[in-house]
Amino acid sequence: MNYRIGEVLLTEEKISRRVREMALEIAETYKGQDLMVIGILKGAVIFMSDLVRSVSPDVRISMDFMAVSSYGDSTKTSGIVRIVKDLDCSVKDKNVLIVEDIVDTGLTLSYLVKLMQEREPKSVRVCALLDKEERRQVPVKVDFRGFSIPDRFVVGYGLDYSGQWRNLPSIYLVEQEN
Ligand code: 5GP
């Protein structure tokens, strides 16, 4: 099956405005505190780099990354979460903010939140650019949410299809080619 980029769902301008609003919410929550921002590779990289640059310096940010595999090459979740790359730093007694590109079934994030909590941080919160709420299989508290979106597969702004299209500045629906 071949796929192509379809309609734009969220433009570059709309994303950028919302990311700046989210950064304000984050700055308000963590004002005067240290914050370890944990990006989930690779999808969250572009979102995270815009987000942290918009958070005021009142928050002392450090960054780390984790890679998990849950999807392989298809557009359907396998339900299996495997750590491919763990954090370099300890989260003990730290404020942790997990940054994800999209929450779908919630399996990845619920696993990651549980894993972080076992490491005894001061706090754990979740920030996700996109949320397909109607697809949820397990409950996850999303503390900072960019956009709720319908149950359609999307690419761009960090999100890929088979490793492609992460670099698109806007977010697009994917369509099947006739
Ligand atoms: P969950 O564990 O919540 O089902 O899946 C979250 C992960 O699924 C995301 O980090 C992302 O990698 C992938 N995912 C879910 N929906 C989409 C989508 O519409 N587009 C892309 N590119 N990835 C998605």
Side-chain angles (χ1 to χ4, degrees):
M1 203 91 73
N2 283 326
Y3 291 90
R4 63 177 165 82
I5 296 164
E7 252 175 72
V8 68
L9 182 70
L10 297 164
T11 61
E12 199 176 344
E13 293 74 24
K14 199 164 174 184
I15 297 168
S16 150
R17 228 177 299 130
R18 186 70 192 117
V19 170
R20 275 181 273 128
E21 285 170 5
M22 294 172 87
L24 286 176
E25 290 171 36
I26 290 167
E28 192 55 40
T29 304
Y30 297 103
K31 200 171 179 185
Q33 299 183 61
D34 293 329
L35 176 64
M36 188 168 167
V37 180
I38 296 176
I40 309 306
L41 296 171
K42 301 169 187 161
V45 162
I46 291 179
F47 168 46
M48 176 164 155
S49 75
D50 282 344
L51 184 73
V52 292
R53 283 181 295 171
S54 295
V55 175
S56 101
D58 290 346
V59 185
R60 293 177 298 272
I61 286 182
S62 61
M63 300 193 285
D64 205 342
F65 296 92
M66 267 185 116
V68 296
S69 84
S70 56
Y71 257 75
D73 257 8
S74 84
T75 57
K76 288 276 172 286
T77 187
S78 63
I80 300 160
V81 181
R82 189 167 58 90
I83 305 258
V84 177
K85 183 215 168 289
D86 206 338
L87 298 174
D88 294 330
C89 307
S90 161
V91 299
K92 193 162 167 29
D93 301 324
K94 294 184 180 155
N95 290 313
V96 166
L97 181 64
I98 303 174
V99 176
E100 249 295 33
D101 50 1
I102 184 165
V103 198
D104 184 16
T105 61
L107 288 163
T108 310
L109 268 176
S110 77
Y111 174 83
L112 288 174
V113 168
K114 215 176 296 155
L115 183 74
M116 284 306 136
Q117 273 160 351
E118 283 166 10
R119 297 179 181 185
E120 302 175 345
K122 186 172 165 192
S123 68
V124 183
R125 288 190 178 88
V126 168
C127 173
L129 179 67
L130 307 175
D131 192 350
K132 290 183 188 172
E133 284 166 280
E134 64 188 276
R135 291 261 308 159
R136 203 71 94 251
Q137 286 176 21
V138 289
V140 181
K141 184 165 186 264
V142 181
D143 301 276
F144 306 98
R145 174 190 288 111
F147 302 93
S148 284
I149 64 162
D151 179 15
R152 296 286 304 274
F153 198 80
V154 295
V155 294
Y157 198 67
L159 291 120
D160 73 312
Y161 174 72
S162 276
Q164 269 192 78
W165 297 327
R166 291 191 197 279
N167 57 309
L168 302 175
S170 299
I171 292 175
Y172 296 84
L173 300 176
V174 171
E175 283 169 8
Q176 227 169 281
E177 223 155 31
N178 298 321

PDB file of all heavy atoms in Angstrom, residues 45-72:
ATOM      1  N   VAL A  45      11.034  15.285  19.273  1.00  0.00           N
ATOM      2  CA  VAL A  45      12.237  16.132  19.217  1.00  0.00           C
ATOM      3  C   VAL A  45      11.942  17.552  18.728  1.00  0.00           C
ATOM      4  O   VAL A  45      12.406  18.534  19.322  1.00  0.00           O
ATOM      5  CB  VAL A  45      13.312  15.453  18.338  1.00  0.00           C
ATOM      6  CG1 VAL A  45      14.363  16.421  17.885  1.00  0.00           C
ATOM      7  CG2 VAL A  45      13.962  14.318  19.111  1.00  0.00           C
ATOM      8  N   ILE A  46      11.172  17.659  17.664  1.00  0.00           N
ATOM      9  CA  ILE A  46      10.937  18.984  17.073  1.00  0.00           C
ATOM     10  C   ILE A  46      10.036  19.817  17.986  1.00  0.00           C
ATOM     11  O   ILE A  46      10.325  20.974  18.278  1.00  0.00           O
ATOM     12  CB  ILE A  46      10.392  18.830  15.636  1.00  0.00           C
ATOM     13  CG1 ILE A  46      11.537  18.283  14.778  1.00  0.00           C
ATOM     14  CG2 ILE A  46       9.838  20.151  15.094  1.00  0.00           C
ATOM     15  CD1 ILE A  46      11.222  18.021  13.338  1.00  0.00           C
ATOM     16  N   PHE A  47       8.993  19.183  18.489  1.00  0.00           N
ATOM     17  CA  PHE A  47       8.101  19.846  19.448  1.00  0.00           C
ATOM     18  C   PHE A  47       8.880  20.295  20.687  1.00  0.00           C
ATOM     19  O   PHE A  47       8.787  21.443  21.117  1.00  0.00           O
ATOM     20  CB  PHE A  47       6.971  18.873  19.811  1.00  0.00           C
ATOM     21  CG  PHE A  47       6.117  19.261  20.976  1.00  0.00           C
ATOM     22  CD1 PHE A  47       5.623  20.557  21.105  1.00  0.00           C
ATOM     23  CD2 PHE A  47       5.774  18.327  21.951  1.00  0.00           C
ATOM     24  CE1 PHE A  47       4.819  20.920  22.182  1.00  0.00           C
ATOM     25  CE2 PHE A  47       4.967  18.674  23.022  1.00  0.00           C
ATOM     26  CZ  PHE A  47       4.495  19.970  23.138  1.00  0.00           C
ATOM     27  N   MET A  48       9.676  19.402  21.243  1.00  0.00           N
ATOM     28  CA  MET A  48      10.413  19.717  22.472  1.00  0.00           C
ATOM     29  C   MET A  48      11.380  20.871  22.254  1.00  0.00           C
ATOM     30  O   MET A  48      11.534  21.739  23.112  1.00  0.00           O
ATOM     31  CB  MET A  48      11.151  18.471  22.958  1.00  0.00           C
ATOM     32  CG  MET A  48      12.021  18.697  24.170  1.00  0.00           C
ATOM     33  SD  MET A  48      12.443  17.099  24.890  1.00  0.00           S
ATOM     34  CE  MET A  48      13.964  17.491  25.724  1.00  0.00           C
ATOM     35  N   SER A  49      12.041  20.895  21.091  1.00  0.00           N
ATOM     36  CA  SER A  49      13.039  21.956  20.867  1.00  0.00           C
ATOM     37  C   SER A  49      12.352  23.314  20.761  1.00  0.00           C
ATOM     38  O   SER A  49      12.875  24.313  21.251  1.00  0.00           O
ATOM     39  CB  SER A  49      13.914  21.649  19.657  1.00  0.00           C
ATOM     40  OG  SER A  49      13.205  21.885  18.480  1.00  0.00           O
ATOM     41  N   ASP A  50      11.162  23.377  20.186  1.00  0.00           N
ATOM     42  CA  ASP A  50      10.425  24.645  20.153  1.00  0.00           C
ATOM     43  C   ASP A  50       9.899  24.990  21.550  1.00  0.00           C
ATOM     44  O   ASP A  50       9.946  26.146  21.974  1.00  0.00           O
ATOM     45  CB  ASP A  50       9.238  24.555  19.179  1.00  0.00           C
ATOM     46  CG  ASP A  50       9.689  24.676  17.725  1.00  0.00           C
ATOM     47  OD1 ASP A  50      10.832  25.129  17.482  1.00  0.00           O
ATOM     48  OD2 ASP A  50       8.896  24.320  16.829  1.00  0.00           O
ATOM     49  N   LEU A  51       9.396  23.979  22.240  1.00  0.00           N
ATOM     50  CA  LEU A  51       8.776  24.197  23.559  1.00  0.00           C
ATOM     51  C   LEU A  51       9.782  24.764  24.571  1.00  0.00           C
ATOM     52  O   LEU A  51       9.530  25.798  25.188  1.00  0.00           O
ATOM     53  CB  LEU A  51       8.207  22.865  24.058  1.00  0.00           C
ATOM     54  CG  LEU A  51       7.436  22.908  25.359  1.00  0.00           C
ATOM     55  CD1 LEU A  51       6.068  23.581  25.166  1.00  0.00           C
ATOM     56  CD2 LEU A  51       7.218  21.496  25.915  1.00  0.00           C
ATOM     57  N   VAL A  52      10.930  24.099  24.720  1.00  0.00           N
ATOM     58  CA  VAL A  52      11.879  24.533  25.764  1.00  0.00           C
ATOM     59  C   VAL A  52      12.433  25.930  25.474  1.00  0.00           C
ATOM     60  O   VAL A  52      12.722  26.690  26.395  1.00  0.00           O
ATOM     61  CB  VAL A  52      13.045  23.532  25.984  1.00  0.00           C
ATOM     62  CG1 VAL A  52      12.557  22.247  26.588  1.00  0.00           C
ATOM     63  CG2 VAL A  52      13.841  23.279  24.713  1.00  0.00           C
ATOM     64  N   ARG A  53      12.522  26.285  24.189  1.00  0.00           N
ATOM     65  CA  ARG A  53      13.037  27.617  23.859  1.00  0.00           C
ATOM     66  C   ARG A  53      12.032  28.712  24.166  1.00  0.00           C
ATOM     67  O   ARG A  53      12.372  29.881  24.210  1.00  0.00           O
ATOM     68  CB  ARG A  53      13.460  27.677  22.391  1.00  0.00           C
ATOM     69  CG  ARG A  53      14.808  26.994  22.179  1.00  0.00           C
ATOM     70  CD  ARG A  53      15.253  27.049  20.760  1.00  0.00           C
ATOM     71  NE  ARG A  53      14.360  26.294  19.887  1.00  0.00           N
ATOM     72  CZ  ARG A  53      14.427  26.323  18.572  1.00  0.00           C
ATOM     73  NH1 ARG A  53      15.317  27.085  17.979  1.00  0.00           N
ATOM     74  NH2 ARG A  53      13.596  25.593  17.844  1.00  0.00           N
ATOM     75  N   SER A  54      10.762  28.322  24.370  1.00  0.00           N
ATOM     76  CA  SER A  54       9.740  29.319  24.692  1.00  0.00           C
ATOM     77  C   SER A  54       9.463  29.409  26.194  1.00  0.00           C
ATOM     78  O   SER A  54       8.691  30.261  26.624  1.00  0.00           O
ATOM     79  CB  SER A  54       8.425  28.972  23.980  1.00  0.00           C
ATOM     80  OG  SER A  54       8.601  29.057  22.600  1.00  0.00           O
ATOM     81  N   VAL A  55      10.048  28.540  26.988  1.00  0.00           N
ATOM     82  CA  VAL A  55       9.842  28.596  28.448  1.00  0.00           C
ATOM     83  C   VAL A  55      10.799  29.644  29.017  1.00  0.00           C
ATOM     84  O   VAL A  55      11.979  29.666  28.671  1.00  0.00           O
ATOM     85  CB  VAL A  55      10.092  27.213  29.103  1.00  0.00           C
ATOM     86  CG1 VAL A  55       9.987  27.312  30.619  1.00  0.00           C
ATOM     87  CG2 VAL A  55       9.113  26.167  28.578  1.00  0.00           C
ATOM     88  N   SER A  56      10.272  30.492  29.891  1.00  0.00           N
ATOM     89  CA  SER A  56      11.102  31.588  30.408  1.00  0.00           C
ATOM     90  C   SER A  56      12.252  31.031  31.255  1.00  0.00           C
ATOM     91  O   SER A  56      12.136  29.966  31.863  1.00  0.00           O
ATOM     92  CB  SER A  56      10.242  32.551  31.218  1.00  0.00           C
ATOM     93  OG  SER A  56      10.406  32.304  32.583  1.00  0.00           O
ATOM     94  N   PRO A  57      13.361  31.779  31.324  1.00  0.00           N
ATOM     95  CA  PRO A  57      14.532  31.306  32.089  1.00  0.00           C
ATOM     96  C   PRO A  57      14.306  31.245  33.597  1.00  0.00           C
ATOM     97  O   PRO A  57      15.184  30.786  34.327  1.00  0.00           O
ATOM     98  CB  PRO A  57      15.635  32.314  31.727  1.00  0.00           C
ATOM     99  CG  PRO A  57      15.015  33.374  30.907  1.00  0.00           C
ATOM    100  CD  PRO A  57      13.613  33.020  30.585  1.00  0.00           C
ATOM    101  N   ASP A  58      13.111  31.670  34.065  1.00  0.00           N
ATOM    102  CA  ASP A  58      12.753  31.478  35.487  1.00  0.00           C
ATOM    103  C   ASP A  58      12.719  30.003  35.854  1.00  0.00           C
ATOM    104  O   ASP A  58      12.762  29.639  37.024  1.00  0.00           O
ATOM    105  CB  ASP A  58      11.337  32.013  35.770  1.00  0.00           C
ATOM    106  CG  ASP A  58      11.276  33.509  35.692  1.00  0.00           C
ATOM    107  OD1 ASP A  58      12.347  34.124  35.695  1.00  0.00           O
ATOM    108  OD2 ASP A  58      10.154  34.047  35.634  1.00  0.00           O
ATOM    109  N   VAL A  59      12.540  29.161  34.827  1.00  0.00           N
ATOM    110  CA  VAL A  59      12.564  27.710  35.063  1.00  0.00           C
ATOM    111  C   VAL A  59      13.933  27.220  34.606  1.00  0.00           C
ATOM    112  O   VAL A  59      14.357  27.490  33.484  1.00  0.00           O
ATOM    113  CB  VAL A  59      11.462  26.994  34.238  1.00  0.00           C
ATOM    114  CG1 VAL A  59      11.425  25.510  34.578  1.00  0.00           C
ATOM    115  CG2 VAL A  59      10.104  27.635  34.450  1.00  0.00           C
ATOM    116  N   ARG A  60      14.627  26.501  35.507  1.00  0.00           N
ATOM    117  CA  ARG A  60      15.973  26.005  35.157  1.00  0.00           C
ATOM    118  C   ARG A  60      15.822  24.609  34.536  1.00  0.00           C
ATOM    119  O   ARG A  60      15.655  23.619  35.244  1.00  0.00           O
ATOM    120  CB  ARG A  60      16.867  25.981  36.399  1.00  0.00           C
ATOM    121  CG  ARG A  60      17.176  27.386  36.921  1.00  0.00           C
ATOM    122  CD  ARG A  60      17.998  27.351  38.186  1.00  0.00           C
ATOM    123  NE  ARG A  60      17.299  26.672  39.280  1.00  0.00           N
ATOM    124  CZ  ARG A  60      16.472  27.282  40.125  1.00  0.00           C
ATOM    125  NH1 ARG A  60      16.221  28.570  40.005  1.00  0.00           N
ATOM    126  NH2 ARG A  60      15.889  26.603  41.093  1.00  0.00           N
ATOM    127  N   ILE A  61      15.886  24.599  33.211  1.00  0.00           N
ATOM    128  CA  ILE A  61      15.589  23.375  32.463  1.00  0.00           C
ATOM    129  C   ILE A  61      16.846  22.562  32.159  1.00  0.00           C
ATOM    130  O   ILE A  61      17.870  23.110  31.758  1.00  0.00           O
ATOM    131  CB  ILE A  61      14.864  23.742  31.144  1.00  0.00           C
ATOM    132  CG1 ILE A  61      13.418  24.155  31.456  1.00  0.00           C
ATOM    133  CG2 ILE A  61      14.889  22.591  30.138  1.00  0.00           C
ATOM    134  CD1 ILE A  61      12.587  24.488  30.234  1.00  0.00           C
ATOM    135  N   SER A  62      16.734  21.235  32.359  1.00  0.00           N
ATOM    136  CA  SER A  62      17.738  20.330  31.791  1.00  0.00           C
ATOM    137  C   SER A  62      16.973  19.350  30.897  1.00  0.00           C
ATOM    138  O   SER A  62      15.751  19.222  31.024  1.00  0.00           O
ATOM    139  CB  SER A  62      18.511  19.593  32.887  1.00  0.00           C
ATOM    140  OG  SER A  62      17.620  18.821  33.657  1.00  0.00           O
ATOM    141  N   MET A  63      17.689  18.731  29.984  1.00  0.00           N
ATOM    142  CA  MET A  63      17.007  17.869  29.011  1.00  0.00           C
ATOM    143  C   MET A  63      17.640  16.484  28.962  1.00  0.00           C
ATOM    144  O   MET A  63      18.858  16.349  29.089  1.00  0.00           O
ATOM    145  CB  MET A  63      17.097  18.482  27.610  1.00  0.00           C
ATOM    146  CG  MET A  63      16.457  19.839  27.510  1.00  0.00           C
ATOM    147  SD  MET A  63      16.253  20.348  25.804  1.00  0.00           S
ATOM    148  CE  MET A  63      17.871  20.774  25.348  1.00  0.00           C
ATOM    149  N   ASP A  64      16.803  15.501  28.798  1.00  0.00           N
ATOM    150  CA  ASP A  64      17.290  14.139  28.578  1.00  0.00           C
ATOM    151  C   ASP A  64      16.304  13.459  27.626  1.00  0.00           C
ATOM    152  O   ASP A  64      15.232  14.006  27.363  1.00  0.00           O
ATOM    153  CB  ASP A  64      17.404  13.386  29.912  1.00  0.00           C
ATOM    154  CG  ASP A  64      18.431  12.256  29.858  1.00  0.00           C
ATOM    155  OD1 ASP A  64      18.791  11.838  28.738  1.00  0.00           O
ATOM    156  OD2 ASP A  64      18.846  11.773  30.929  1.00  0.00           O
ATOM    157  N   PHE A  65      16.693  12.298  27.124  1.00  0.00           N
ATOM    158  CA  PHE A  65      15.852  11.625  26.123  1.00  0.00           C
ATOM    159  C   PHE A  65      15.726  10.144  26.415  1.00  0.00           C
ATOM    160  O   PHE A  65      16.634   9.538  26.978  1.00  0.00           O
ATOM    161  CB  PHE A  65      16.459  11.805  24.718  1.00  0.00           C
ATOM    162  CG  PHE A  65      16.484  13.240  24.284  1.00  0.00           C
ATOM    163  CD1 PHE A  65      17.596  14.035  24.526  1.00  0.00           C
ATOM    164  CD2 PHE A  65      15.372  13.810  23.666  1.00  0.00           C
ATOM    165  CE1 PHE A  65      17.613  15.372  24.160  1.00  0.00           C
ATOM    166  CE2 PHE A  65      15.380  15.139  23.283  1.00  0.00           C
ATOM    167  CZ  PHE A  65      16.501  15.920  23.527  1.00  0.00           C
ATOM    168  N   MET A  66      14.597   9.597  26.002  1.00  0.00           N
ATOM    169  CA  MET A  66      14.377   8.154  26.061  1.00  0.00           C
ATOM    170  C   MET A  66      13.858   7.720  24.710  1.00  0.00           C
ATOM    171  O   MET A  66      13.145   8.496  24.055  1.00  0.00           O
ATOM    172  CB  MET A  66      13.278   7.837  27.072  1.00  0.00           C
ATOM    173  CG  MET A  66      13.786   7.538  28.427  1.00  0.00           C
ATOM    174  SD  MET A  66      12.427   7.060  29.464  1.00  0.00           S
ATOM    175  CE  MET A  66      12.893   5.412  29.790  1.00  0.00           C
ATOM    176  N   ALA A  67      14.190   6.511  24.313  1.00  0.00           N
ATOM    177  CA  ALA A  67      13.595   5.967  23.090  1.00  0.00           C
ATOM    178  C   ALA A  67      12.858   4.698  23.452  1.00  0.00           C
ATOM    179  O   ALA A  67      13.383   3.840  24.178  1.00  0.00           O
ATOM    180  CB  ALA A  67      14.672   5.687  22.056  1.00  0.00           C
ATOM    181  N   VAL A  68      11.633   4.593  22.996  1.00  0.00           N
ATOM    182  CA  VAL A  68      10.837   3.383  23.217  1.00  0.00           C
ATOM    183  C   VAL A  68      10.341   2.908  21.868  1.00  0.00           C
ATOM    184  O   VAL A  68      10.178   3.698  20.948  1.00  0.00           O
ATOM    185  CB  VAL A  68       9.637   3.652  24.158  1.00  0.00           C
ATOM    186  CG1 VAL A  68      10.099   4.050  25.540  1.00  0.00           C
ATOM    187  CG2 VAL A  68       8.689   4.687  23.598  1.00  0.00           C
ATOM    188  N   SER A  69      10.099   1.624  21.769  1.00  0.00           N
ATOM    189  CA  SER A  69       9.492   1.164  20.515  1.00  0.00           C
ATOM    190  C   SER A  69       8.134   0.589  20.834  1.00  0.00           C
ATOM    191  O   SER A  69       7.969  -0.159  21.794  1.00  0.00           O
ATOM    192  CB  SER A  69      10.386   0.138  19.825  1.00  0.00           C
ATOM    193  OG  SER A  69      10.151  -1.127  20.374  1.00  0.00           O
ATOM    194  N   SER A  70       7.148   1.015  20.079  1.00  0.00           N
ATOM    195  CA  SER A  70       5.810   0.464  20.282  1.00  0.00           C
ATOM    196  C   SER A  70       5.108   0.270  18.949  1.00  0.00           C
ATOM    197  O   SER A  70       4.103  -0.404  18.877  1.00  0.00           O
ATOM    198  CB  SER A  70       4.974   1.367  21.191  1.00  0.00           C
ATOM    199  OG  SER A  70       4.918   2.658  20.655  1.00  0.00           O
ATOM    200  N   TYR A  71       5.660   0.863  17.905  1.00  0.00           N
ATOM    201  CA  TYR A  71       4.933   0.867  16.644  1.00  0.00           C
ATOM    202  C   TYR A  71       5.536   0.062  15.514  1.00  0.00           C
ATOM    203  O   TYR A  71       4.807  -0.406  14.660  1.00  0.00           O
ATOM    204  CB  TYR A  71       4.731   2.325  16.159  1.00  0.00           C
ATOM    205  CG  TYR A  71       3.346   2.787  16.417  1.00  0.00           C
ATOM    206  CD1 TYR A  71       2.955   3.119  17.699  1.00  0.00           C
ATOM    207  CD2 TYR A  71       2.407   2.835  15.402  1.00  0.00           C
ATOM    208  CE1 TYR A  71       1.672   3.514  17.970  1.00  0.00           C
ATOM    209  CE2 TYR A  71       1.110   3.230  15.648  1.00  0.00           C
ATOM    210  CZ  TYR A  71       0.746   3.575  16.938  1.00  0.00           C
ATOM    211  OH  TYR A  71      -0.527   3.960  17.192  1.00  0.00           O
ATOM    212  N   GLY A  72       6.841  -0.075  15.445  1.00  0.00           N
ATOM    213  CA  GLY A  72       7.443  -0.691  14.265  1.00  0.00           C
ATOM    214  C   GLY A  72       7.149   0.173  13.062  1.00  0.00           C
ATOM    215  O   GLY A  72       7.135   1.387  13.167  1.00  0.00           O
TER     216      GLY A  72
END
